[in-house]
Amino acid sequence: HTEDELSRSSHSNPGKSLVNGIKTNPASNSPKSGLPVPMGPPVYVDLAYIPNHCSGKNTDPEFFKRVRASYYVVSGNDAANGEPSRAVLDALLEGKSQWGENLQVTLIPTHDTEVTREWYQQTHEKQQELNIMVLASSSTVVMQDESFPACKIEF
């Protein structure tokens, strides 16, 4: 196909789009869709928010292999929906174990959950081996009539 033909075909079929010149269905363009993700070098960032409240629906070990952060924020607080997901926390360990370098990583849970506490206790040795530190919520923020736990982050 020429570039014009590819462009026209994507406009005539709005449910499809082009990714690296390949027609894809945007609804199935998630990490677990089975579509190959183009390989590239890892991305290094200071702070990364674990997608979708640390739900296992969108985050797997590949995320942690490719997005290498000094700090990861875990915001899930909905056990009924699997947030935070134990599988995602385990994926952090698996992904980081393949970095090939032992950079310090800090995990910042925004809520004290049973899943996070159990994961912390059961994998503490592996965390130390991988140079992962988990911050505890030791501060409280008070706003109007509401208060909630928080962590202070300094760069």
Side-chain angles (χ1 to χ4, degrees):
H1 293 294
T2 68
E3 192 170 298
D4 287 342
E5 288 172 328
L6 289 173
S7 177
R8 278 194 304 271
S9 69
S10 67
H11 290 296
S12 64
N13 189 351
K16 302 273 185 179
S17 63
L18 295 176
V19 175
N20 293 331
I22 300 169
K23 285 186 187 179
T24 63
N25 182 346
S28 67
N29 203 12
S30 69
K32 298 193 178 193
S33 69
L35 292 174
V37 177
M39 290 307 297
V43 176
Y44 292 85
V45 297
D46 289 328
L47 180 75
Y49 176 87
I50 298 177
N52 203 25
H53 304 285
C54 198
S55 166
K57 297 173 189 170
N58 300 82
T59 307
D60 60 9
E62 190 65 28
F63 173 81
F64 296 104
K65 289 178 197 173
R66 298 181 77 182
V67 179
R68 299 180 181 186
S70 297
Y71 299 87
Y72 290 101
V73 176
V74 176
S75 70
N77 190 26
D78 186 356
N81 285 319
E83 299 168 5
S85 165
R86 170 68 189 251
V88 173
L89 297 172
D90 289 339
L92 167 63
L93 298 175
E94 182 181 336
K96 176 121 177 15
S97 70
Q98 297 181 31
W99 286 13
E101 51 195 327
N102 200 14
L103 301 174
Q104 170 74 45
V105 167
T106 302
L107 189 67
I108 306 167
T110 60
H111 295 87
D112 181 20
T113 66
E114 186 174 333
V115 169
T116 306
R117 273 183 270 125
E118 286 179 3
W119 175 83
Y120 176 81
Q121 292 169 350
Q122 294 169 359
T123 64
H124 189 69
E125 286 183 26
K126 184 72 171 174
Q127 294 166 40
Q128 289 180 320
E129 176 186 316
L130 293 172
N131 204 13
I132 297 173
M133 180 176 66
V134 179
L135 290 183
S137 289
S138 58
S139 300
T140 302
V141 175
V142 178
M143 296 181 69
Q144 297 177 0
D145 296 331
E146 184 179 3
S147 66
F148 49 90
C151 290
K152 180 179 179 182
I153 305 170
E154 292 183 8
F155 291 93

